[in-house]
Amino acid sequence: QFSDFNYYVTGDDFSTVVSDSGTVSVSDGAKGILAIVPSDGTVADNDEGYVKGTKEVFLFAADKPIIFEALVQFTEANTDDANVIVGMKDAVAADSVLDNGGGPAASYSGMLFFKADGDTVWSCETSIGGTQTTTQLTSTNKNNLSGVAQTAGGSAYQRLRIEFAPYSSTKAQVSFRIDGVLVAVHDFTYTSATEMQLCAGLKNGGTNRETLNV
């Protein structure tokens, strides 16, 4: 499943989930830019917006590697308030990002990059049900394989890549890369996984409207 977002109609390959009359639309720009805006003119804390694959067509399984990759960009409307997720999860809906900087949903099948309200760096997460492994990409976290803080957001696009590589009927390595740099590897038990869909979205962390470009 691949798109340059030269057009967007919800319900085709991808679908919109928004609150407060938010919008998902194609903006002018080389390579195709999908702009996700979680609020209308009346901006509220925890307004949210997502683009999801219309159907859950991906599943963690033996001998079935998966590669996810997206170019994303956002500029914080207020310092560090944006809540962002990019990757794959099941049942993308309201509160796929939890309120008030809570990060991704408490229970899901998936693999994600995310940035929470109050943070300025990316985190990586793998999840089956309520069991998550999370790596925050600070400079002091020894599990951040790049050794430097991986700042989330800014004027430049970032290439986020996640690779699911099963090596047995129950286990896989999941590798996370930012702009080609390996930043984390999770040894991942994927039994009891459920089907997933592509996902990108954000939630306001205050009364400033955030925007995610994909």
Side-chain angles (χ1 to χ4, degrees):
Q1 192 168 358
F2 177 85
S3 181
D4 273 329
F5 297 125
N6 56 351
Y7 82 101
Y8 179 81
V9 176
T10 186
D12 284 359
D13 286 346
F14 298 90
S15 294
T16 297
V17 178
V18 290
S19 65
D20 193 24
S21 300
T23 59
V24 176
S25 60
V26 175
S27 301
D28 289 339
K31 300 181 181 179
I33 299 172
L34 195 71
I36 306 170
V37 181
S39 310
D40 61 9
T42 306
V43 182
D45 189 17
N46 296 316
D47 284 352
E48 59 190 335
Y50 309 94
V51 167
K52 64 178 183 177
T54 297
K55 299 297 183 181
E56 296 178 334
V57 296
F58 299 95
L59 179 67
F60 295 136
D63 301 318
K64 301 293 183 183
I66 300 171
I67 296 175
F68 170 91
E69 187 171 280
L71 280 170
V72 302
Q73 184 273 329
F74 65 97
T75 301
E76 301 269 8
N78 185 32
T79 312
D80 59 4
D81 283 2
N83 299 272
V84 178
I85 58 171
V86 181
M88 305 178 76
K89 73 179 293 291
D90 75 294
V92 177
D95 292 328
S96 288
V97 174
L98 300 175
D99 287 351
N100 304 319
S107 179
Y108 69 97
S109 288
M111 52 187 190
L112 296 169
F113 282 95
F114 74 92
K115 203 287 285 186
D117 184 6
D119 295 336
T120 58
V121 298
W122 288 111
S123 293
C124 309
E125 187 166 276
T126 47
S127 177
I128 295 292
T131 301
Q132 280 98 33
T133 299
T134 307
T135 303
Q136 188 179 42
L137 300 175
T138 62
S139 61
T140 56
N141 186 347
K142 62 182 177 58
N143 294 318
N144 173 6
L145 301 180
S146 71
V148 297
Q150 293 293 328
T151 301
S155 60
Y157 276 80
Q158 293 176 289
R159 186 179 298 275
L160 306 182
R161 183 180 176 96
I162 312 172
E163 300 177 9
F164 168 83
Y167 61 84
S168 78
S169 61
T170 61
K171 302 281 286 187
Q173 281 198 335
V174 180
S175 303
F176 297 84
R177 288 178 167 81
I178 299 177
D179 294 330
V181 176
L182 181 66
V183 293
V185 177
H186 293 176
D187 195 62
F188 181 47
T189 300
Y190 60 85
T191 50
S192 303
T194 189
E195 290 83 2
M196 304 170 295
Q197 56 209 143
L198 303 178
C199 176
L202 76 167
K203 177 173 278 190
N204 293 338
T207 55
N208 294 279
R209 181 168 56 197
E210 306 288 352
T211 301
L212 176 65
N213 295 311
V214 185

